[in-house]
Amino acid sequence: MKVTIERLVINEFKGHRRLEITGSNLVKIDGDNGKGKSTIADSISWLFYGTDAMGKTLDPLPTTYLGAETYIEALIHLDQKPVLFRRTLSGGKTSYHLNEDPIKAKQFDEHVKNIVPRELFLSQFNPMFFTAQHWQEQRKQLTQYVQEPTNGEVLDKLSSVEKEMLEAELKQRELDKIEEKARETVKKSEAEGTALRSRIRTLQEQGEADKATIESCPIAFNQIDDRIAEIREELTQMTSSGIKERRAALKREIERRMNDGRRLKSEADHLAVQPAPDTCPTCKQGLPHSHIENVMTAQQIKINEKKSAMQNLKMEIQKLNAELDLLLEGEAVFDPKPLLDEMAMLERVKAAASRIAEMNEKVSAAEADLTQQTKAFGRANYMISCVKNFRAKRAELMVEKISALFTTVTVRLFDYVASKDNYNPAFEIERNGVPFRLLSLSEKMKAGLEVATALMKLSGSHYPVFIDNAESIVELPQVPSQVFISRVVPGPLKIESDGKQEAKAS
């Protein structure tokens, strides 16, 4: 779609009383400062949007005289189809006409929006408007016409391993979800890996005591079963009379009860020398006298109980000794205790070996699980790296697509954030490697014209371009649309349309 202004009528608008301009492919506007050159650009934007050429609020009323009716009228060609727009401000009220028919403000705005959408029109019409917007608006406006690189295009730029990792995943979920899943796997695998390593250490530590038991065995482990069989055979073949066995049993019982008596005496002696506590073990405050007496009474009861038990043991030992004296002592009694102790020791060694075998199985299973977790951890970490590389390559391809639209202009679309190891959206125009904010006025104008031309190509809509202060530009770039060129030239306002001089402004 191509929009051109065939005729522009400016009536009682700011410094102009009456001005008519016949449009053409090239309209030259010359005059000294303060002659209203920039006002012509403002009149066109006010007609459509009620703003100046920078999109800001504008008071259109005359500045040096009193006017009766302020209006702007423009006959535009929309792909060769004429449409007449008019906005009027009179008596503090604004009225609108379309093809000389009065319409409401909402209808007028809707027609304008369909033909000359505000941001797109102003970005072409005023080369300084685009870069005056917030960077997010600039980015959004430019990138909306450029298709983001497809997953396939990006994957083709990655390594074969990265492509293999991401290709199947991208068919199932979005890139952010892939990264989210990978990070969850890393977190889970790390926690499970830590738990498995702790379990392996615990199992191995538990096995150390059993290893010591096995190492202390005086015979080889493969000989234990044979030795146990020998001991059992030896115990079976023991021959000793009932008297000998009874005497041995009585002696063992007497010894056991004497040990019990010695233990009870030691406990009673210990209790007897224990002082009664006079402070609370918790709060460290002194205890009342009644409480101390209760403790001492309870302590004495325990001592008496142990002495009573000792007396009972003494009587039992006397009875056992009496029974032992009645038995005639014959030949020496065979004592099976050493053999039984040896067999018990060998059984402990076998039990320790069994536990170690079980422990080794558990350790092997835990190590296998740890290997799987380590692989999952490594794969997820690599997936995160692949996602980052995918984003970086996608950003690079997007920049290449945008930069291909320009000749001297480049665009920075992303900023690398080292702390996050990621790319954040950004936007800054550069011309010949110099950031826009550092360019001279003429260089800024050239950059803006190049952006305007790119927007024409991208959107398919060609709107008029108004180049203000063109005297500062040595060589103007070619623009594929209607152009208004304003230059500061000493003298009155003079307007030419393709060599034809317009009437001077009144």
Side-chain angles (χ1 to χ4, degrees):
M1 179 177 67
K2 187 171 184 178
V3 174
T4 58
I5 299 175
E6 183 178 345
R7 186 180 75 254
L8 177 67
V9 179
I10 302 175
N11 190 78
E12 296 182 354
F13 184 87
K14 297 185 73 173
H16 293 297
R17 289 183 180 272
R18 179 76 179 182
L19 181 62
E20 292 188 21
I21 300 174
T22 300
S24 62
N25 286 334
L26 177 62
V27 179
K28 295 180 180 179
I29 305 171
D30 295 339
D32 212 338
N33 289 323
K35 296 301 181 180
K37 300 183 297 299
S38 299
T39 301
I40 296 173
D42 290 339
S43 71
I44 296 172
S45 59
W46 185 81
L47 167 65
F48 291 138
Y49 316 111
T51 68
D52 64 12
M54 289 299 293
K56 297 179 180 179
T57 302
L58 173 69
D59 181 3
L61 294 176
T63 55
T64 59
Y65 60 91
L66 293 176
E69 185 180 54
T70 294
Y71 70 84
I72 303 295
E73 183 178 273
L75 176 63
I76 72 169
H77 272 188
L78 175 63
D79 289 338
Q80 304 304 316
K81 178 182 178 181
V83 181
L84 184 65
F85 286 89
R86 177 170 170 159
R87 181 192 291 255
T88 304
L89 178 60
S90 179
K93 294 184 178 180
T94 305
S95 59
Y96 307 88
H97 289 76
L98 184 67
N99 293 327
E100 298 185 345
D101 295 327
I103 61 173
K104 294 182 179 181
K106 186 175 181 180
Q107 294 173 304
F108 184 87
D109 291 342
E110 194 64 32
H111 279 287
V112 170
K113 181 179 179 181
N114 291 334
I115 296 173
V116 283
R118 182 178 180 276
E119 281 71 25
L120 182 59
F121 177 84
L122 291 178
S123 293
Q124 295 184 28
F125 180 68
N126 180 6
M128 303 301 287
F129 172 80
F130 180 84
T131 53
Q133 300 178 98
H134 189 276
W135 71 265
Q136 290 177 330
E137 291 299 322
Q138 296 180 54
R139 192 180 197 280
K140 176 182 177 183
Q141 188 172 343
L142 189 59
T143 57
Q144 67 177 313
Y145 301 108
V146 181
Q147 184 180 7
E148 191 175 73
T150 64
N151 289 343
E153 289 175 330
V154 180
L155 289 172
D156 286 341
K157 297 295 183 179
L158 299 178
S159 69
S160 58
V161 178
E162 291 172 328
K163 181 177 181 180
E164 183 180 353
M165 285 284 288
L166 285 172
E167 194 165 25
E169 290 287 334
L170 285 169
K171 292 178 181 178
Q172 301 178 33
R173 54 183 65 87
E174 296 178 355
L175 193 67
D176 288 345
K177 294 296 183 182
I178 294 174
E179 183 180 18
E180 182 182 338
K181 179 184 176 184
R183 291 192 180 280
E184 288 176 356
T185 301
V186 166
K187 186 177 180 181
K188 179 182 177 182
S189 298
E190 194 170 20
E192 291 182 354
T194 299
L196 285 169
R197 281 186 285 271
S198 176
R199 174 170 170 74
I200 290 170
R201 283 195 302 270
T202 300
L203 288 170
Q204 291 172 338
E205 288 169 0
Q206 291 173 349
E208 292 301 319
D210 287 330
K211 287 182 180 178
T213 299
I214 295 173
E215 291 172 358
S216 65
C217 183
I219 63 175
F221 183 79
N222 59 1
Q223 298 176 353
I224 289 178
D225 287 338
D226 291 342
R227 177 55 186 157
I228 290 176
E230 290 175 0
I231 292 173
R232 286 175 177 164
E233 179 65 23
E234 193 172 345
L235 290 171
T236 302
Q237 294 176 356
M238 281 194 322
T239 56
S240 58
S241 66
I243 294 176
K244 292 179 180 179
E245 291 176 357
R246 181 57 182 160
R247 286 180 61 84
L250 286 171
K251 288 179 179 180
R252 288 195 297 271
E253 186 63 15
I254 291 169
E255 182 62 25
R256 183 182 69 79
R257 300 199 182 195
M258 288 180 69
N259 287 335
D260 289 343
R262 286 190 286 268
R263 176 178 57 80
L264 287 171
K265 183 177 186 307
S266 175
E267 291 173 356
D269 292 343
H270 178 72
L271 286 171
V273 297
Q274 288 297 310
D278 56 358
T279 58
C280 177
T282 302
C283 62
K284 307 303 182 182
Q285 294 183 356
L287 295 173
H289 183 72
S290 60
H291 183 84
I292 296 174
E293 288 182 348
N294 291 338
V295 172
M296 293 177 64
T297 300
Q299 189 170 305
Q300 187 59 48
I301 290 173
K302 289 182 180 180
I303 293 173
N304 293 337
E305 288 175 351
K306 292 185 181 297
K307 287 183 176 181
S308 176
M310 290 167 57
Q311 188 63 32
N312 291 336
L313 280 173
K314 185 177 180 180
M315 294 175 63
E316 291 174 3
I317 291 171
Q318 289 175 350
K319 290 180 180 179
L320 291 172
N321 278 323
E323 183 179 352
L324 181 63
D325 291 338
L326 293 175
L327 295 174
L328 296 176
E329 186 173 4
E331 57 181 289
V333 178
F334 176 78
D335 186 5
K337 187 175 183 303
L339 292 177
L340 293 174
D341 288 345
E342 182 183 357
M343 188 165 66
M345 179 271 294
L346 295 176
E347 292 291 352
R348 287 195 297 272
V349 171
K350 287 184 64 177
S354 177
R355 286 193 298 271
I356 287 180
E358 183 180 356
M359 179 270 292
N360 287 335
E361 289 181 2
K362 291 179 179 179
V363 167
S364 296
E367 287 176 340
D369 291 342
L370 180 60
T371 299
Q372 293 301 315
Q373 291 300 331
T374 302
K375 289 180 179 178
F377 179 83
R379 189 180 190 281
N381 259 327
Y382 187 68
M383 180 64 79
I384 293 172
S385 174
C386 291
V387 169
K388 290 178 181 178
N389 290 341
F390 184 96
R391 287 201 179 101
K393 184 57 66 175
R394 183 173 61 186
E396 181 183 323
L397 292 176
M398 189 65 175
V399 171
E400 289 177 2
K401 282 191 172 188
I402 296 292
S403 297
L405 302 171
F406 305 104
T407 303
T408 63
V409 168
T410 56
V411 176
R412 179 169 55 82
L413 290 175
F414 301 92
D415 281 334
Y416 177 71
V417 183
S419 60
K420 297 181 179 179
D421 192 19
N422 208 346
Y423 290 84
N424 284 349
F427 192 90
E428 184 174 17
I429 287 178
E430 298 178 351
R431 188 168 194 270
N432 294 324
V434 180
F436 185 86
R437 63 184 182 280
L438 302 179
L439 294 174
S440 65
L441 179 60
S442 62
E443 292 295 295
K444 287 181 178 179
M445 186 69 71
K446 289 179 181 179
L449 288 171
E450 199 167 333
V451 172
T453 302
L455 286 171
M456 291 178 192
K457 294 177 182 178
L458 291 171
S459 67
S461 297
H462 292 233
Y463 300 123
V465 177
F466 196 100
I467 306 174
D468 206 359
N469 298 310
E471 73 280 351
S472 63
I473 305 175
V474 176
E475 184 178 352
L476 285 170
Q478 293 293 319
V479 179
S481 67
Q482 183 183 31
V483 178
F484 291 78
I485 298 179
S486 168
R487 297 177 297 182
V488 176
V489 177
L493 184 66
K494 183 176 69 174
I495 302 173
E496 294 183 1
S497 297
D498 280 348
K500 180 181 178 181
Q501 185 172 329
E502 299 287 331
K504 294 182 179 179
S506 58

